[in-house]
PDB file of all heavy atoms in Angstrom:
ATOM      1  N   GLY A 250     -24.793 -17.792 -80.591  1.00 97.00           N
ATOM      2  CA  GLY A 250     -23.713 -16.923 -80.106  1.00 97.00           C
ATOM      3  C   GLY A 250     -24.073 -16.290 -78.773  1.00 97.00           C
ATOM      4  O   GLY A 250     -25.036 -16.687 -78.105  1.00 97.00           O
ATOM      5  N   ALA A 251     -23.294 -15.273 -78.423  1.00 93.00           N
ATOM      6  CA  ALA A 251     -23.353 -14.670 -77.092  1.00 93.00           C
ATOM      7  C   ALA A 251     -24.749 -14.181 -76.691  1.00 93.00           C
ATOM      8  O   ALA A 251     -25.072 -14.136 -75.503  1.00 93.00           O
ATOM      9  CB  ALA A 251     -22.370 -13.500 -77.023  1.00 93.00           C
ATOM     10  N   GLY A 252     -25.601 -13.864 -77.679  1.00 95.00           N
ATOM     11  CA  GLY A 252     -26.938 -13.339 -77.381  1.00 95.00           C
ATOM     12  C   GLY A 252     -27.842 -14.332 -76.656  1.00 95.00           C
ATOM     13  O   GLY A 252     -28.797 -13.919 -75.992  1.00 95.00           O
ATOM     14  N   SER A 254     -26.946 -15.948 -74.126  1.00 95.00           N
ATOM     15  CA  SER A 254     -26.535 -15.950 -72.711  1.00 95.00           C
ATOM     16  C   SER A 254     -26.628 -14.583 -72.047  1.00 95.00           C
ATOM     17  O   SER A 254     -26.335 -14.460 -70.863  1.00 95.00           O
ATOM     18  CB  SER A 254     -25.100 -16.468 -72.583  1.00 95.00           C
ATOM     19  OG  SER A 254     -24.964 -17.783 -73.053  1.00 95.00           O
ATOM     20  N   THR A 255     -27.038 -13.545 -72.795  1.00 93.00           N
ATOM     21  CA  THR A 255     -27.070 -12.217 -72.161  1.00 93.00           C
ATOM     22  C   THR A 255     -28.107 -12.156 -71.024  1.00 93.00           C
ATOM     23  O   THR A 255     -27.881 -11.501 -70.017  1.00 93.00           O
ATOM     24  CB  THR A 255     -27.339 -11.081 -73.191  1.00 93.00           C
ATOM     25  OG1 THR A 255     -28.466 -11.459 -73.981  1.00 93.00           O
ATOM     26  CG2 THR A 255     -26.150 -10.844 -74.083  1.00 93.00           C
ATOM     27  N   ILE A 259     -24.424 -12.640 -68.675  1.00 87.00           N
ATOM     28  CA  ILE A 259     -23.109 -12.599 -69.340  1.00 87.00           C
ATOM     29  C   ILE A 259     -23.217 -11.628 -70.521  1.00 87.00           C
ATOM     30  O   ILE A 259     -23.998 -11.874 -71.451  1.00 87.00           O
ATOM     31  CB  ILE A 259     -22.714 -14.002 -69.887  1.00 87.00           C
ATOM     32  CG1 ILE A 259     -22.817 -15.049 -68.776  1.00 87.00           C
ATOM     33  CG2 ILE A 259     -21.320 -13.963 -70.504  1.00 87.00           C
ATOM     34  CD1 ILE A 259     -22.551 -16.470 -69.253  1.00 87.00           C
ATOM     35  N   PRO A 260     -22.448 -10.534 -70.495  1.00 83.00           N
ATOM     36  CA  PRO A 260     -22.582  -9.602 -71.599  1.00 83.00           C
ATOM     37  C   PRO A 260     -22.067 -10.199 -72.909  1.00 83.00           C
ATOM     38  O   PRO A 260     -21.201 -11.072 -72.894  1.00 83.00           O
ATOM     39  CB  PRO A 260     -21.701  -8.419 -71.177  1.00 83.00           C
ATOM     40  CG  PRO A 260     -20.874  -8.879 -70.034  1.00 83.00           C
ATOM     41  CD  PRO A 260     -21.470 -10.138 -69.478  1.00 83.00           C
ATOM     42  N   ASP A 261     -22.651  -9.758 -74.054  1.00 82.00           N
ATOM     43  CA  ASP A 261     -22.107 -10.195 -75.350  1.00 82.00           C
ATOM     44  C   ASP A 261     -20.937  -9.283 -75.685  1.00 82.00           C
ATOM     45  O   ASP A 261     -20.473  -8.485 -74.853  1.00 82.00           O
ATOM     46  CB  ASP A 261     -23.204 -10.206 -76.427  1.00 82.00           C
ATOM     47  CG  ASP A 261     -23.802  -8.840 -76.692  1.00 82.00           C
ATOM     48  OD1 ASP A 261     -23.281  -7.838 -76.147  1.00 82.00           O
ATOM     49  OD2 ASP A 261     -24.785  -8.748 -77.443  1.00 82.00           O
ATOM     50  N   PHE A 262     -20.382  -9.405 -76.888  1.00 78.00           N
ATOM     51  CA  PHE A 262     -19.254  -8.552 -77.276  1.00 78.00           C
ATOM     52  C   PHE A 262     -19.711  -7.186 -77.730  1.00 78.00           C
ATOM     53  O   PHE A 262     -19.178  -6.167 -77.329  1.00 78.00           O
ATOM     54  CB  PHE A 262     -18.511  -9.207 -78.449  1.00 78.00           C
ATOM     55  CG  PHE A 262     -17.400 -10.149 -78.024  1.00 78.00           C
ATOM     56  CD1 PHE A 262     -16.723 -10.879 -78.991  1.00 78.00           C
ATOM     57  CD2 PHE A 262     -17.042 -10.292 -76.704  1.00 78.00           C
ATOM     58  CE1 PHE A 262     -15.707 -11.744 -78.637  1.00 78.00           C
ATOM     59  CE2 PHE A 262     -16.030 -11.171 -76.353  1.00 78.00           C
ATOM     60  CZ  PHE A 262     -15.367 -11.898 -77.322  1.00 78.00           C
ATOM     61  N   ARG A 263     -20.700  -7.217 -78.630  1.00 73.00           N
ATOM     62  CA  ARG A 263     -20.884  -6.018 -79.462  1.00 73.00           C
ATOM     63  C   ARG A 263     -22.115  -5.171 -79.156  1.00 73.00           C
ATOM     64  O   ARG A 263     -22.298  -4.135 -79.779  1.00 73.00           O
ATOM     65  CB  ARG A 263     -20.900  -6.434 -80.937  1.00 73.00           C
ATOM     66  CG  ARG A 263     -19.539  -6.913 -81.373  1.00 73.00           C
ATOM     67  CD  ARG A 263     -19.502  -7.456 -82.789  1.00 73.00           C
ATOM     68  NE  ARG A 263     -18.182  -7.997 -83.083  1.00 73.00           N
ATOM     69  CZ  ARG A 263     -17.759  -9.205 -82.728  1.00 73.00           C
ATOM     70  NH1 ARG A 263     -18.550 -10.008 -82.054  1.00 73.00           N
ATOM     71  NH2 ARG A 263     -16.524  -9.603 -83.011  1.00 73.00           N
ATOM     72  N   SER A 264     -22.966  -5.578 -78.215  1.00 74.00           N
ATOM     73  CA  SER A 264     -24.131  -4.723 -77.941  1.00 74.00           C
ATOM     74  C   SER A 264     -23.645  -3.381 -77.408  1.00 74.00           C
ATOM     75  O   SER A 264     -22.791  -3.336 -76.506  1.00 74.00           O
ATOM     76  CB  SER A 264     -25.053  -5.389 -76.917  1.00 74.00           C
ATOM     77  OG  SER A 264     -25.762  -6.447 -77.514  1.00 74.00           O
ATOM     78  N   LEU A 269     -19.184  -6.504 -73.846  1.00 75.00           N
ATOM     79  CA  LEU A 269     -17.868  -6.576 -73.211  1.00 75.00           C
ATOM     80  C   LEU A 269     -16.895  -5.573 -73.805  1.00 75.00           C
ATOM     81  O   LEU A 269     -16.097  -4.968 -73.082  1.00 75.00           O
ATOM     82  CB  LEU A 269     -17.282  -7.986 -73.398  1.00 75.00           C
ATOM     83  CG  LEU A 269     -17.816  -9.072 -72.475  1.00 75.00           C
ATOM     84  CD1 LEU A 269     -17.326 -10.435 -72.917  1.00 75.00           C
ATOM     85  CD2 LEU A 269     -17.387  -8.796 -71.047  1.00 75.00           C
ATOM     86  N   GLN A 333     -20.756 -20.549 -80.423  1.00 96.00           N
ATOM     87  CA  GLN A 333     -19.511 -19.755 -80.356  1.00 96.00           C
ATOM     88  C   GLN A 333     -19.189 -19.437 -78.900  1.00 96.00           C
ATOM     89  O   GLN A 333     -18.168 -18.848 -78.610  1.00 96.00           O
ATOM     90  CB  GLN A 333     -19.698 -18.435 -81.108  1.00 96.00           C
ATOM     91  CG  GLN A 333     -19.956 -18.613 -82.574  1.00 96.00           C
ATOM     92  CD  GLN A 333     -20.397 -17.320 -83.240  1.00 96.00           C
ATOM     93  OE1 GLN A 333     -19.583 -16.538 -83.712  1.00 96.00           O
ATOM     94  NE2 GLN A 333     -21.687 -17.081 -83.257  1.00 96.00           N
ATOM     95  N   ASN A 334     -20.104 -19.802 -78.001  1.00 94.00           N
ATOM     96  CA  ASN A 334     -19.958 -19.402 -76.611  1.00 94.00           C
ATOM     97  C   ASN A 334     -18.951 -20.265 -75.865  1.00 94.00           C
ATOM     98  O   ASN A 334     -18.790 -21.447 -76.141  1.00 94.00           O
ATOM     99  CB  ASN A 334     -21.312 -19.430 -75.910  1.00 94.00           C
ATOM    100  CG  ASN A 334     -22.254 -18.409 -76.504  1.00 94.00           C
ATOM    101  OD1 ASN A 334     -21.814 -17.510 -77.215  1.00 94.00           O
ATOM    102  ND2 ASN A 334     -23.525 -18.537 -76.233  1.00 94.00           N
ATOM    103  N   ILE A 335     -18.304 -19.608 -74.904  1.00 91.00           N
ATOM    104  CA  ILE A 335     -17.287 -20.289 -74.103  1.00 91.00           C
ATOM    105  C   ILE A 335     -17.801 -20.490 -72.672  1.00 91.00           C
ATOM    106  O   ILE A 335     -17.057 -20.899 -71.794  1.00 91.00           O
ATOM    107  CB  ILE A 335     -15.969 -19.466 -74.105  1.00 91.00           C
ATOM    108  CG1 ILE A 335     -16.226 -18.019 -73.703  1.00 91.00           C
ATOM    109  CG2 ILE A 335     -15.319 -19.551 -75.476  1.00 91.00           C
ATOM    110  CD1 ILE A 335     -14.974 -17.158 -73.641  1.00 91.00           C
ATOM    111  N   ASP A 336     -19.080 -20.216 -72.454  1.00 89.00           N
ATOM    112  CA  ASP A 336     -19.614 -20.240 -71.091  1.00 89.00           C
ATOM    113  C   ASP A 336     -20.114 -21.634 -70.659  1.00 89.00           C
ATOM    114  O   ASP A 336     -20.536 -21.820 -69.512  1.00 89.00           O
ATOM    115  CB  ASP A 336     -20.751 -19.209 -70.935  1.00 89.00           C
ATOM    116  CG  ASP A 336     -21.866 -19.396 -71.971  1.00 89.00           C
ATOM    117  OD1 ASP A 336     -22.113 -20.533 -72.399  1.00 89.00           O
ATOM    118  OD2 ASP A 336     -22.499 -18.386 -72.339  1.00 89.00           O
ATOM    119  N   HIS A 353     -15.509 -22.225 -80.499  1.00 95.00           N
ATOM    120  CA  HIS A 353     -14.403 -21.380 -80.016  1.00 95.00           C
ATOM    121  C   HIS A 353     -13.815 -21.920 -78.714  1.00 95.00           C
ATOM    122  O   HIS A 353     -13.244 -21.152 -77.932  1.00 95.00           O
ATOM    123  CB  HIS A 353     -14.892 -19.931 -79.862  1.00 95.00           C
ATOM    124  CG  HIS A 353     -15.282 -19.315 -81.180  1.00 95.00           C
ATOM    125  ND1 HIS A 353     -16.040 -18.170 -81.286  1.00 95.00           N
ATOM    126  CD2 HIS A 353     -15.016 -19.697 -82.449  1.00 95.00           C
ATOM    127  CE1 HIS A 353     -16.221 -17.870 -82.570  1.00 95.00           C
ATOM    128  NE2 HIS A 353     -15.604 -18.784 -83.282  1.00 95.00           N
ATOM    129  N   GLY A 440     -28.850 -15.273 -81.653  1.00 97.00           N
ATOM    130  CA  GLY A 440     -28.003 -14.521 -80.719  1.00 97.00           C
ATOM    131  C   GLY A 440     -26.568 -14.331 -81.180  1.00 97.00           C
ATOM    132  O   GLY A 440     -25.651 -14.379 -80.374  1.00 97.00           O
ATOM    133  N   THR A 441     -26.393 -14.109 -82.470  1.00 97.00           N
ATOM    134  CA  THR A 441     -25.045 -13.874 -82.973  1.00 97.00           C
ATOM    135  C   THR A 441     -25.061 -12.735 -83.988  1.00 97.00           C
ATOM    136  O   THR A 441     -26.030 -12.599 -84.745  1.00 97.00           O
ATOM    137  CB  THR A 441     -24.429 -15.142 -83.594  1.00 97.00           C
ATOM    138  OG1 THR A 441     -23.216 -14.799 -84.272  1.00 97.00           O
ATOM    139  CG2 THR A 441     -25.364 -15.840 -84.572  1.00 97.00           C
ATOM    140  N   SER A 442     -23.980 -11.953 -83.998  1.00 95.00           N
ATOM    141  CA  SER A 442     -23.869 -10.863 -84.980  1.00 95.00           C
ATOM    142  C   SER A 442     -23.363 -11.395 -86.326  1.00 95.00           C
ATOM    143  O   SER A 442     -23.292 -10.654 -87.287  1.00 95.00           O
ATOM    144  CB  SER A 442     -22.944  -9.768 -84.460  1.00 95.00           C
ATOM    145  OG  SER A 442     -21.651 -10.315 -84.229  1.00 95.00           O
ATOM    146  N   LEU A 443     -22.983 -12.680 -86.369  1.00 97.00           N
ATOM    147  CA  LEU A 443     -22.452 -13.324 -87.582  1.00 97.00           C
ATOM    148  C   LEU A 443     -21.319 -12.496 -88.178  1.00 97.00           C
ATOM    149  O   LEU A 443     -21.294 -12.194 -89.372  1.00 97.00           O
ATOM    150  CB  LEU A 443     -23.557 -13.562 -88.612  1.00 97.00           C
ATOM    151  CG  LEU A 443     -24.585 -14.658 -88.254  1.00 97.00           C
ATOM    152  CD1 LEU A 443     -25.681 -14.753 -89.317  1.00 97.00           C
ATOM    153  CD2 LEU A 443     -23.914 -16.035 -88.117  1.00 97.00           C
ATOM    154  N   THR A 444     -20.379 -12.123 -87.310  1.00 93.00           N
ATOM    155  CA  THR A 444     -19.227 -11.345 -87.802  1.00 93.00           C
ATOM    156  C   THR A 444     -17.909 -12.086 -87.614  1.00 93.00           C
ATOM    157  O   THR A 444     -16.875 -11.619 -88.097  1.00 93.00           O
ATOM    158  CB  THR A 444     -19.134  -9.977 -87.062  1.00 93.00           C
ATOM    159  OG1 THR A 444     -19.268 -10.213 -85.665  1.00 93.00           O
ATOM    160  CG2 THR A 444     -20.203  -9.002 -87.524  1.00 93.00           C
ATOM    161  N   VAL A 445     -17.914 -13.184 -86.840  1.00 92.00           N
ATOM    162  CA  VAL A 445     -16.663 -13.899 -86.588  1.00 92.00           C
ATOM    163  C   VAL A 445     -16.596 -15.136 -87.520  1.00 92.00           C
ATOM    164  O   VAL A 445     -17.443 -16.008 -87.450  1.00 92.00           O
ATOM    165  CB  VAL A 445     -16.554 -14.322 -85.100  1.00 92.00           C
ATOM    166  CG1 VAL A 445     -15.279 -15.115 -84.855  1.00 92.00           C
ATOM    167  CG2 VAL A 445     -16.605 -13.110 -84.200  1.00 92.00           C
ATOM    168  N   ASN A 465     -32.914 -13.010 -83.418  1.00 97.00           N
ATOM    169  CA  ASN A 465     -31.911 -12.038 -82.963  1.00 97.00           C
ATOM    170  C   ASN A 465     -32.563 -10.675 -82.806  1.00 97.00           C
ATOM    171  O   ASN A 465     -33.619 -10.426 -83.402  1.00 97.00           O
ATOM    172  CB  ASN A 465     -30.781 -11.931 -84.018  1.00 97.00           C
ATOM    173  CG  ASN A 465     -29.441 -11.606 -83.398  1.00 97.00           C
ATOM    174  OD1 ASN A 465     -29.015 -12.274 -82.460  1.00 97.00           O
ATOM    175  ND2 ASN A 465     -28.747 -10.597 -83.907  1.00 97.00           N
ATOM    176  N   ILE A 466     -31.911  -9.802 -82.022  1.00 95.00           N
ATOM    177  CA  ILE A 466     -32.488  -8.459 -81.874  1.00 95.00           C
ATOM    178  C   ILE A 466     -32.479  -7.743 -83.228  1.00 95.00           C
ATOM    179  O   ILE A 466     -33.428  -7.083 -83.608  1.00 95.00           O
ATOM    180  CB  ILE A 466     -31.694  -7.641 -80.826  1.00 95.00           C
ATOM    181  CG1 ILE A 466     -32.014  -8.169 -79.424  1.00 95.00           C
ATOM    182  CG2 ILE A 466     -32.008  -6.150 -80.929  1.00 95.00           C
ATOM    183  CD1 ILE A 466     -31.223  -7.555 -78.303  1.00 95.00           C
ATOM    184  N   ASP A 467     -31.381  -7.918 -83.942  1.00 94.00           N
ATOM    185  CA  ASP A 467     -31.291  -7.274 -85.258  1.00 94.00           C
ATOM    186  C   ASP A 467     -31.047  -8.300 -86.367  1.00 94.00           C
ATOM    187  O   ASP A 467     -30.591  -9.406 -86.107  1.00 94.00           O
ATOM    188  CB  ASP A 467     -30.195  -6.189 -85.256  1.00 94.00           C
ATOM    189  CG  ASP A 467     -29.017  -6.562 -84.387  1.00 94.00           C
ATOM    190  OD1 ASP A 467     -28.919  -7.735 -83.986  1.00 94.00           O
ATOM    191  OD2 ASP A 467     -28.169  -5.696 -84.119  1.00 94.00           O
ATOM    192  N   GLY A 485     -36.149  -9.848 -81.958  1.00 95.00           N
ATOM    193  CA  GLY A 485     -36.565  -9.574 -80.575  1.00 95.00           C
ATOM    194  C   GLY A 485     -35.707 -10.384 -79.619  1.00 95.00           C
ATOM    195  O   GLY A 485     -34.690 -10.966 -80.007  1.00 95.00           O
ATOM    196  N   LYS A 486     -36.123 -10.394 -78.350  1.00 95.00           N
ATOM    197  CA  LYS A 486     -35.342 -11.081 -77.302  1.00 95.00           C
ATOM    198  C   LYS A 486     -35.510 -12.593 -77.419  1.00 95.00           C
ATOM    199  O   LYS A 486     -36.626 -13.093 -77.642  1.00 95.00           O
ATOM    200  CB  LYS A 486     -35.843 -10.627 -75.929  1.00 95.00           C
ATOM    201  CG  LYS A 486     -35.682  -9.144 -75.681  1.00 95.00           C
ATOM    202  CD  LYS A 486     -34.412  -8.879 -74.927  1.00 95.00           C
ATOM    203  CE  LYS A 486     -34.295  -7.406 -74.614  1.00 95.00           C
ATOM    204  NZ  LYS A 486     -33.074  -7.029 -73.969  1.00 95.00           N
ATOM    205  N   LEU A 487     -34.422 -13.290 -77.176  1.00 96.00           N
ATOM    206  CA  LEU A 487     -34.423 -14.740 -77.377  1.00 96.00           C
ATOM    207  C   LEU A 487     -35.293 -15.495 -76.380  1.00 96.00           C
ATOM    208  O   LEU A 487     -35.907 -16.511 -76.747  1.00 96.00           O
ATOM    209  CB  LEU A 487     -32.993 -15.260 -77.308  1.00 96.00           C
ATOM    210  CG  LEU A 487     -32.280 -15.029 -78.636  1.00 96.00           C
ATOM    211  CD1 LEU A 487     -30.791 -15.047 -78.469  1.00 96.00           C
ATOM    212  CD2 LEU A 487     -32.733 -16.089 -79.621  1.00 96.00           C
TER     213      LEU A 487
HETATM  214  P1  CNA B 236     -21.736 -10.622 -80.588  1.00 79.30           P
HETATM  215  O1  CNA B 236     -20.918 -10.161 -81.744  1.00 79.30           O
HETATM  216  O2  CNA B 236     -21.605  -9.869 -79.319  1.00 79.30           O
HETATM  217  O3  CNA B 236     -23.264 -10.602 -81.064  1.00 79.30           O
HETATM  218  C1  CNA B 236     -24.324 -10.908 -80.206  1.00 79.30           C
HETATM  219  C2  CNA B 236     -25.634 -10.742 -80.980  1.00 79.30           C
HETATM  220  O4  CNA B 236     -26.693 -11.157 -80.148  1.00 79.30           O
HETATM  221  C3  CNA B 236     -25.921  -9.307 -81.393  1.00 79.30           C
HETATM  222  O5  CNA B 236     -26.405  -9.260 -82.729  1.00 79.30           O
HETATM  223  C4  CNA B 236     -27.020  -8.852 -80.401  1.00 79.30           C
HETATM  224  O6  CNA B 236     -27.917  -7.916 -80.956  1.00 79.30           O
HETATM  225  C5  CNA B 236     -27.711 -10.168 -80.136  1.00 79.30           C
HETATM  226  N1  CNA B 236     -28.331 -10.234 -78.807  1.00 79.30           N
HETATM  227  C6  CNA B 236     -27.800  -9.921 -77.610  1.00 79.30           C
HETATM  228  N2  CNA B 236     -28.651 -10.200 -76.605  1.00 79.30           N
HETATM  229  C7  CNA B 236     -29.784 -10.686 -77.206  1.00 79.30           C
HETATM  230  C8  CNA B 236     -31.037 -11.159 -76.723  1.00 79.30           C
HETATM  231  N3  CNA B 236     -31.322 -11.172 -75.408  1.00 79.30           N
HETATM  232  N4  CNA B 236     -31.959 -11.591 -77.608  1.00 79.30           N
HETATM  233  C9  CNA B 236     -31.708 -11.589 -78.955  1.00 79.30           C
HETATM  234  N5  CNA B 236     -30.531 -11.174 -79.471  1.00 79.30           N
HETATM  235  C10 CNA B 236     -29.577 -10.729 -78.623  1.00 79.30           C
HETATM  236  O7  CNA B 236     -21.450 -12.160 -80.254  1.00 79.30           O
HETATM  237  P2  CNA B 236     -21.175 -13.365 -81.270  1.00 79.30           P
HETATM  238  O8  CNA B 236     -21.466 -14.595 -80.508  1.00 79.30           O
HETATM  239  O9  CNA B 236     -21.786 -13.167 -82.593  1.00 79.30           O
HETATM  240  O10 CNA B 236     -19.590 -13.222 -81.479  1.00 79.30           O
HETATM  241  C11 CNA B 236     -18.773 -14.279 -81.432  1.00 79.30           C
HETATM  242  C12 CNA B 236     -17.811 -14.213 -80.236  1.00 79.30           C
HETATM  243  C13 CNA B 236     -18.471 -13.753 -78.973  1.00 79.30           C
HETATM  244  C14 CNA B 236     -17.300 -15.566 -79.911  1.00 79.30           C
HETATM  245  O11 CNA B 236     -15.938 -15.629 -80.153  1.00 79.30           O
HETATM  246  C15 CNA B 236     -17.600 -15.807 -78.407  1.00 79.30           C
HETATM  247  O12 CNA B 236     -16.568 -16.512 -77.780  1.00 79.30           O
HETATM  248  C16 CNA B 236     -17.730 -14.452 -77.852  1.00 79.30           C
HETATM  249  N6  CNA B 236     -18.474 -14.276 -76.599  1.00 79.30           N
HETATM  250  C17 CNA B 236     -19.002 -15.327 -75.905  1.00 79.30           C
HETATM  251  C18 CNA B 236     -19.696 -15.108 -74.736  1.00 79.30           C
HETATM  252  C19 CNA B 236     -20.261 -16.289 -73.989  1.00 79.30           C
HETATM  253  O13 CNA B 236     -19.649 -17.347 -73.968  1.00 79.30           O
HETATM  254  N7  CNA B 236     -21.451 -16.150 -73.396  1.00 79.30           N
HETATM  255  C20 CNA B 236     -19.857 -13.798 -74.239  1.00 79.30           C
HETATM  256  C21 CNA B 236     -19.296 -12.737 -74.967  1.00 79.30           C
HETATM  257  C22 CNA B 236     -18.607 -12.988 -76.138  1.00 79.30           C
END
Side-chain angles (χ1 to χ4, degrees):
S254 299
T255 49
I259 307 175
D261 62 7
F262 271 175
R263 292 175 184 81
S264 286
L269 281 171
Q333 297 169 90
N334 295 344
I335 52 178
D336 55 31
H353 295 164
T441 170
S442 60
L443 289 177
T444 48
V445 178
N465 211 51
I466 287 175
D467 34 13
K486 298 264 183 184
L487 279 159

